[in-house]
């Protein structure tokens, strides 16, 4: 059974890699199952054992990428102990390292038109929702701050994602430690100050 499962995983990985390569070379509209199977070096019947069509592949793959992104997004920097120790630099850095490991995948998905999907926007939405939940459950954050948790979450995740996209496209020579320090400085002068009540608005 384990061998069968491994074969399934390997086959899906081949199909996903072929999907990304096709997407990088041409538009989704011009992509065909025939092109995908040729790149993956599998026959059409094998493809259809796993996916209904290219739209099913697109949605399932994007959902998987978003799920992995959400899990890797470390928002524990807002937890009381982390804030007190001020070790959120390493927590954020770990998240950014994981994002950079998926740089190629993200860039292909961000630049491509995928029907009914906006991967960059969906990443912001998922990250925002997760951060909002953390803010609302944090006992050290004032009630009036929690009332606009959605705003704080959008400000942080939106800024982070736009900054990461810049880093991938224009700041390629900037190492992850420098990028993390810049992000932390921005946070300390803004979101963390306001969430801890040290800055009035």
């Amino acid at each position: 059974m384990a061998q069968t499962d491994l074969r399934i995983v390997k086959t899906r990985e081949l199909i996903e890699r072929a999907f990304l390569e096709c997407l990088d070379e041409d538009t989704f509209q011009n992509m065909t199952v025939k092109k995908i199977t040729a790149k993956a070096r599998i026959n059409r019947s094998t493809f259809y054992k796993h996916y209904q069509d290219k739209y099913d592949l697109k949605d399932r793959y994007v959902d998987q990428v978003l799920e992995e992104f959400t899990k890797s997004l470390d928002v524990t920097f807002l937890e009381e102990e982390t804030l007190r120790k001020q070790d959120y630099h390493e927590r954020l850095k770990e998240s950014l390292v994981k994002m950079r490991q998926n740089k190629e995948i993200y860039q292909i998905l961000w630049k491509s038109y995928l029907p009914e999907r906006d991967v960059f926007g969906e990443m912001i939405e998922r990250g925002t929702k997760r951060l909002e939940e953390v803010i609302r459950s944090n006992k050290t954050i004032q009630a009036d701050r929690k009332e606009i948790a959605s705003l704080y979450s959008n400000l942080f995740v939106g800024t982070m994602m736009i900054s990461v996209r810049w880093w991938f496209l224009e700041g390629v020579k900037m190492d992850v430690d420098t990028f993390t320090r810049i992000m932390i400085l921005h946070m300390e002068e803004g979101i963390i100050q306001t969430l801890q009540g040290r800055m009035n608005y």
Side-chain angles (χ1 to χ4, degrees):
M1 185 66 181
Q3 288 181 339
T4 304
D5 290 344
L6 183 59
R7 283 199 298 270
I8 290 171
V9 169
K10 292 290 185 186
T11 301
R12 287 182 179 164
E13 285 176 352
L14 283 173
I15 294 171
E16 290 166 0
R17 186 71 240 174
F19 169 76
L20 272 181
E21 288 177 8
C22 287
L23 201 56
D24 194 31
E25 294 170 5
D26 204 346
T27 64
F28 179 79
Q29 288 73 8
N30 292 335
M31 186 187 300
T32 62
V33 171
K34 184 177 180 181
K35 289 179 181 178
I36 296 169
T37 55
K39 277 201 177 289
R41 296 183 179 178
I42 59 171
N43 55 48
R44 289 169 67 90
S45 62
T46 301
F47 177 91
Y48 288 116
K49 284 179 184 175
H50 299 276
Y51 304 98
Q52 295 175 11
D53 51 32
K54 70 175 186 177
Y55 294 92
D56 181 41
L57 168 59
K58 178 253 307 178
D59 285 328
R60 287 167 63 183
Y61 181 64
V62 168
D63 287 342
Q64 176 185 306
V65 169
L66 290 171
E67 182 68 25
E68 290 171 359
F69 162 75
T70 307
K71 284 180 180 177
S72 70
L73 186 62
D74 195 334
V75 292
T76 56
F77 68 88
L78 286 175
E79 292 175 356
E80 183 177 5
E81 179 124 358
T82 305
L83 284 173
R84 190 166 60 246
K85 290 181 179 177
Q86 293 192 327
D87 64 353
Y88 41 82
H89 177 278
E90 283 306 312
R91 302 285 184 91
L92 180 60
K93 182 178 176 181
E94 286 171 18
S95 285
L96 293 171
V97 166
K98 288 175 185 174
M99 288 187 73
R100 192 169 64 174
Q101 289 169 349
N102 290 315
K103 175 181 175 179
E104 181 186 5
I105 294 170
Y106 292 161
Q107 285 187 301
I108 292 171
L109 293 176
W110 290 345
K111 75 173 185 176
S112 304
Y113 170 72
L114 298 173
E116 301 179 358
R117 303 306 297 255
D118 170 14
V119 179
F120 187 76
E122 288 182 59
M123 289 172 87
I124 292 176
E125 286 175 17
R126 291 210 182 192
T128 297
K129 184 178 178 183
R130 184 161 177 222
L131 183 56
E132 185 177 347
E133 290 169 355
V134 171
I135 291 173
R136 291 190 186 281
S137 64
N138 191 316
K139 296 176 182 177
T140 65
I141 295 174
Q142 297 173 19
D144 61 335
R145 264 65 174 177
K146 290 183 180 183
E147 286 176 7
I148 54 172
S150 177
L151 172 60
Y152 286 120
S153 302
N154 274 283
L155 284 171
F156 174 72
V157 179
T159 301
M160 183 190 75
M161 291 303 298
I162 290 168
S163 301
V164 166
R165 186 166 59 182
W166 171 87
W167 184 35
F168 286 175
L169 291 172
E170 299 180 47
V172 290
K173 293 182 179 178
M174 184 179 291
D175 62 88
V176 66
D177 200 59
T178 301
F179 185 72
T180 303
R181 286 201 306 274
I182 292 171
M183 288 294 298
I184 289 290
L185 180 62
H186 171 73
M187 286 162 48
E188 287 179 337
E189 294 299 319
I191 185 172
I192 289 177
Q193 291 275 355
T194 53
L195 282 172
Q196 291 185 332
R198 298 200 304 267
M199 184 183 292
N200 294 320
Y201 52 81

